[in-house]
Amino acid sequence: MRIKNFDEDKHILYLVATPIGNLSEMSPRAIEILNSVDVIGCEDTRVSKQLLNNFNISKKLISCHEHNEEQASLELLKYLENGNIAYISDAGYPGISDPGHRLLAKVLDNNYKVSVVSGASAMLNALIGSGLDTTHFYFHGFLASKHSARIHELEELKSKKETLIFYESPHRIGDTLNDLREVFGNRKATLARELTKRFEEYIREDLDYLCNIDISTLKGEMVLIIEGNKNEEIVTEKVLLDYAKKLLSNGINTKTAAKLTAKHFKVSKNDVYDLIIKG
Ligand code: SAM
């Protein structure tokens, strides 16, 4: 279906990006759009009220977050019958490691229009500032919080050639760095934190270096940028078995370990399974 958003100024959901720390990055267009719509859906009304007050925007807010997005979307949808609505998350782009996607899906299902208003993005600032290759990149967002699930995810990502981007929080950064080091080996890596804020910092080093930093100095919001896989490994039975054993020692079961090993080295799952069983 071909849709022209601005032929008629009605029935549009604006997904508006908001600053990730520095209020000066709120764009004039974002302010104009938020002032123009009938209602604003938001992740957390307290956070959004504060943001909107800074720009003297006074609008009805409807809370629409991870746990009520289904229901709140229906309420927001009603306003599209005759007018326009906007959605903002707490920071950055809605729908990127933030709610917004289910609302957008409902809006599209109902043949209304969607337009995205550009703004700050933590992952792009971090990637571009990292100095690592930006030709091809892969955004993963947050890794699983459980150790074995995280190892499983990293195993799936290990062979990717693209530069990898992860979001992380300060209380898990130590564990995540150690898991990255364990699964990926040493690679160039950048930790970018407090982007656009007064204490913005880029640590452009490698995983060994990052794993040895005093964690208490890594405060605030952060993004990890990891170099893609540059190795061409020679695959012997020993290489396969060592790889599978590492997975097993991290609590991953035999069948899954065989599957992940096979996927990583692009060999047969049954062959790897037999190797593991033979020991
Ligand atoms: N929707 C946001 C976006 O477009 O980037 C992401 C929201 S997600 C819940 C929050 C995560 O984004 C943080 O844990 C951190 O990894 C990253 N982030 C957000 N603001 C940041 C900043 N100022 N500096 C570094 N990382 C940031």
Side-chain angles (χ1 to χ4, degrees), residues 2-15:
R2 295 176 65 165
I3 297 179
K4 294 220 167 136
N5 274 345
F6 306 126
D7 278 356
E8 182 196 25
D9 187 23
K10 251 190 194 180
H11 317 307
I12 307 176
L13 160 67
Y14 289 99
L15 294 167

Side-chain angles (χ1 to χ4, degrees), residues 9-13 37-41 59-62 72-86 103 107 112:
D9 187 23
K10 251 190 194 180
H11 317 307
I12 307 176
L13 160 67
V37 294
D38 298 309
V39 66
I40 301 173
K59 282 281 155 181
K60 180 178 162 73
L61 290 176
I62 294 183
S73 296
L74 296 177
E75 191 182 346
L76 283 162
L77 218 56
K78 287 188 204 143
Y79 289 86
L80 284 174
E81 282 170 25
N82 296 308
N84 296 326
I85 65 173
L103 170 64
V107 167
Y112 292 129

Side-chain angles (χ1 to χ4, degrees), residues 131-199:
L132 293 170
D133 189 359
T134 57
T135 319
H136 301 289
F137 56 89
Y138 167 86
F139 172 68
H140 191 80
F142 290 98
L143 285 158
S145 53
K146 219 172 119 209
H147 174 69
S148 63
R150 196 161 55 224
I151 294 285
H152 189 136
E153 269 182 286
L154 291 175
E155 289 294 349
E156 298 259 5
L157 299 175
K158 186 180 174 179
S159 55
K160 281 199 172 297
K161 306 253 177 271
E162 299 92 345
T163 303
L164 305 164
I165 309 172
F166 299 98
Y167 280 169
E168 198 42 281
S169 65
H171 72 275
R172 263 209 314 254
I173 189 66
D175 289 343
T176 294
L177 285 170
N178 287 327
D179 289 348
L180 278 162
R181 175 71 185 81
E182 182 186 330
V183 178
F184 288 7
N186 197 22
R187 286 194 196 176
K188 282 188 193 167
T190 292
L191 188 152
R193 59 179 201 98
E194 296 285 78
L195 296 169
T196 76
K197 304 183 200 177
R198 177 157 144 59
F199 297 109

Side-chain angles (χ1 to χ4, degrees), residues 185-249:
N186 197 22
R187 286 194 196 176
K188 282 188 193 167
T190 292
L191 188 152
R193 59 179 201 98
E194 296 285 78
L195 296 169
T196 76
K197 304 183 200 177
R198 177 157 144 59
F199 297 109
E200 175 173 290
E201 181 183 28
Y202 282 90
I203 310 172
R204 300 177 183 90
E205 293 283 348
D206 57 24
L207 286 170
D208 276 351
Y209 183 96
L210 294 180
C211 285
N212 284 306
I213 292 181
D214 173 3
I215 295 298
S216 68
T217 64
L218 298 179
K219 295 202 171 75
E221 303 205 88
M222 56 191 75
V223 184
L224 280 170
I225 311 290
I226 316 290
E227 183 179 49
N229 190 334
K230 301 278 178 257
N231 290 334
E232 296 294 343
E233 283 170 282
I234 299 166
V235 186
T236 61
E237 286 195 353
K238 184 176 177 323
V239 169
L240 291 173
L241 203 54
D242 285 350
Y243 191 92
K245 278 184 178 161
K246 226 178 186 181
L247 295 176
L248 295 169
S249 71

